[in-house]
Amino acid sequence: MKIRTKSGRLALSAVLAATLIGGSTQAAFADSAAEVSVDVVGWDGSFKETAWTPVRVQVKNTGDDLTGHVVVESSNTGYNGSPVRGTFEKEVVVPQGGTKEVTVLVPGYLFQQPVNVRLYDEDGDEVDLQKNIVRTPLTDTLLVGGVMAKTDDLNVFSLVPSSTLGGRVSVKQLAADDLPDRPELLNGLDLLVINHAPQDELTQGQLDAVEDWVADGGKLLLSGGAGYNGGGSLFADLSPVEVNGSTTLTDLSGLASYVHTPLTVKQLTVSTGAPKQQAKVLAASGGVPLLADRRYGAGHVLYAAYDLSEEPLASWQGNKDLWSNVFGQAELSVAKYNPQYTGIDPMGAVRMLLVNSSQFEALIPSIQTILIMFGIYLLLIGPILYLLLRRLNKREWGWGLIPGAAVLFSLGIYFWGANPMQGAIGQYISQVDLKTPQSATVKSAGSFIVTHGGDYAVDLPADTLAFAGMSGYNSMSRDMTGSRTLQHADGTQILYDNVEYFTTRSAYVEARLKNKGQVENNLHLDKDGYLRGTLTNKSAFDLEQTFLIVGTSAIDLGELKAGESTKVEERISSITLVKNKYGSGMLTNKLAPVTYGPFGINGDHDQMLKRNLAEFATNPMNLGDASLQLFAFSHTPLDLYRIQGEKVSDDSYISLIRQEMELQSTDDATMMPPGMIRGRIIEQTGQIGLMPEGVHILDGTVGIQYNVKIHDKFIPEKVQIDLDKAVYAVYFREYFNWQSGEWEKVTEQNESVLTGVDLQKYVSGDGKLNVRLSGDAGLNGGQVVSFPNVGVEGKVAR
């Protein structure tokens, strides 16, 4: 494939190279009279480094009509530990005397260093520069975006204790035009609240973006009372309640009983309606749902029938427990990231494996090629060369001809097998999460070798978020600035400039896939602890190795091609994590086994990629707390990348397909065996290393939350937990007391079973059990221990 070079791209490349690599502080500005300034970063200045973040740049033109590019870049163009490379650019057209705002999307991780914003004209001349823009991302904070009338309308959330969420709450007031028309850009919010009708109308694109975001795992709260119409009613299809009007209530005992706190309100205007199918009413009075929750795709939609800012309810002391319970119901908490896993580039370790050119299988000749060439070599070196030298009576030439022939044939094998004249080779690894039959999300890492070198472009579909990665395997010295991410309305394009032949470039991509289907199931857990049912693959992927992750166990189901079904009948059992000097968990070993030799891990290229994908996906911060998940490997192409607009024939794909599943509703279920309830990390401080089934505590604390409420009618009577194991003896162990709001030391009497009074103290009304382990390497030797196995028995309310 021929790699083409465009003169316009070269001109801009030269300017960028001179400006970025040369590091000159004296900018040679063009004659055009225009200036750039950063208006806002993120949500009213708040953002998270693990989310894509909008940078709003204002371009003011006091000269002639301007057509050019706005460029956002890190001020540190050398190696700084960041996985993000190159610049982020967007075209801008500003008429004479006009002002235009351009939104450039960047990884929040980019702001680990000061950021520069540059403006270039269409000739590639720099027009203006704003240097060293510093913004600090939020940490240990639940970020709430509120469409509300006043900035203090959602102050009620500030009462929720940090111990419940794992951090404080920050609320940002949003105007209608703050809501994006792309669901990925809402990922920087932990919760979106619609408490009043927005002042300006929302577009259909904004409404669709919110719906898609919720389906992909977002959290939405609809409220407003008398102001529900035009606000929450915009999302009527998502709401847990079919709202049909409003009324005035004098009895709010439903809210008081939900948190066991007295409430005196003379009257309150609320919206009225009927709960939808599969919605869960959390509190009601007089037959009117006051609080409700509904799973929508992978996300939650919450409903409050009243205006959250209305007094005296807004100042009610019961709000602390009320919103703690509601947020827990919606699985809302502050994500705790170990520095090892912090950043927008969660697949960095996987991509690093890809960028090593020796790992490109397309460059490795096939066995057939090697055998054919070796056979020819033996014939040449044997009878043909012997007879020729004998005939010429020059047998002494064999000392030079034989090794020379070996070199020539080695090169021949390489050039024949690798076929460097093909122009480009790409290979890609991805994690695909099947959220709903209509929506899937993908995180992908791609690596490319263009055998001719030069300038080339990698084209990505519309609504794709991407950035260029490392220039080479573990490279700190190669060019870090010769890549540019261009954001167009119809797609994203990454340009690699001045690439040497046979060198690698890489990219990280996030995208949404439509209509990829799901794997359907009717799985249920019987009274004997057996998981039974059928899985039917109605996705677009042929699943070559399929596993059910059940609590802390993995069930191997083998191959499951598109359209096929398989039966499941497995007993669920708890596991014990065995200490492993390589730090690899049992779950990862089950999904992608490898062997260990004297020089490290042994495995072929494909298996090593699967291993890295498994390690990434099963990290507790990624795995979540769903007790039932499907994991599978697939080589079905995704067709995300095109080099110079063409699909390369030697492209290779491998994906880990993941889907959270729910057990079929069994309102008569009375037990969940230990090991099936997966914990969720709610706290992490100090030197902590997390793995699929356990934790490596060097010097720090980790908090784990378990949900022991099997279904709405279930009443827990006994919780089993194995904190009495000898392996936990060297750790300081605590339960969270929901009545006092304090952590309490685990005693010998309650380290294995919680019943009676202990159950009332340590298990919340909605079934949450919080456990905390603390230790230091001096006492525990820095060993790896499993997360405690938790099980529950109880009865069904009649």
Side-chain angles (χ1 to χ4, degrees), residues 480-521:
M480 296 296 171
T481 61
S483 59
R484 297 176 286 132
T485 301
L486 274 59
Q487 298 171 356
H488 305 292
D490 57 350
T492 300
Q493 189 177 53
I494 301 179
L495 304 181
Y496 297 95
D497 299 326
N498 304 317
V499 181
E500 298 177 4
Y501 67 93
F502 271 101
T503 58
T504 60
R505 292 296 183 267
S506 62
Y508 175 77
V509 174
E510 291 185 19
R512 299 182 75 252
L513 307 175
K514 295 182 179 180
N515 300 319
K516 294 297 182 181
Q518 280 189 311
V519 178
E520 295 183 353
N521 82 91

Side-chain angles (χ1 to χ4, degrees), residues 743-756:
W743 288 94
E744 294 182 359
K745 182 180 178 181
V746 173
T747 67
E748 290 185 7
Q749 289 71 37
N750 61 24
E751 63 184 0
S752 61
V753 176
L754 297 176
T755 57

Side-chain angles (χ1 to χ4, degrees), residues 357-434:
S357 61
S358 66
Q359 297 291 343
F360 277 78
E361 289 187 305
L363 294 178
I364 303 173
S366 66
I367 295 296
Q368 294 87 343
T369 298
I370 293 174
L371 290 176
I372 292 171
M373 295 296 289
F374 187 64
I376 296 173
Y377 173 74
L378 290 179
L379 287 173
L380 178 62
I381 294 300
I384 296 175
L385 189 57
Y386 172 78
L387 292 174
L388 178 62
L389 294 179
R390 180 180 177 182
R391 182 178 181 86
L392 298 174
N393 196 22
K394 297 289 184 180
R395 279 175 285 187
E396 67 275 11
W397 288 6
W399 292 102
L401 289 175
I402 291 174
V407 171
L408 288 174
F409 271 86
S410 297
L411 291 173
I413 291 174
Y414 176 76
F415 278 94
W416 184 10
N419 186 16
M421 298 305 293
Q422 62 191 312
I425 303 169
Q427 60 179 13
Y428 318 101
I429 51 176
S430 309
Q431 177 178 305
V432 179
D433 286 273
L434 302 177

Side-chain angles (χ1 to χ4, degrees), residues 342-357:
T342 299
I344 192 69
D345 187 25
M347 299 185 77
V350 182
R351 197 187 68 253
M352 288 300 292
L353 182 63
L354 278 180
V355 299
N356 185 349
S357 61

Side-chain angles (χ1 to χ4, degrees), residues 7 59 66 94-95 183 421 574 601 607 640 644-645 650 718 779:
S7 58
V59 181
L66 173 68
V94 189
M421 298 305 293
S574 60
I601 300 176
Q607 191 67 12
L640 287 175
Q644 292 294 113
D650 282 309
K718 180 172 75 172
L779 295 177

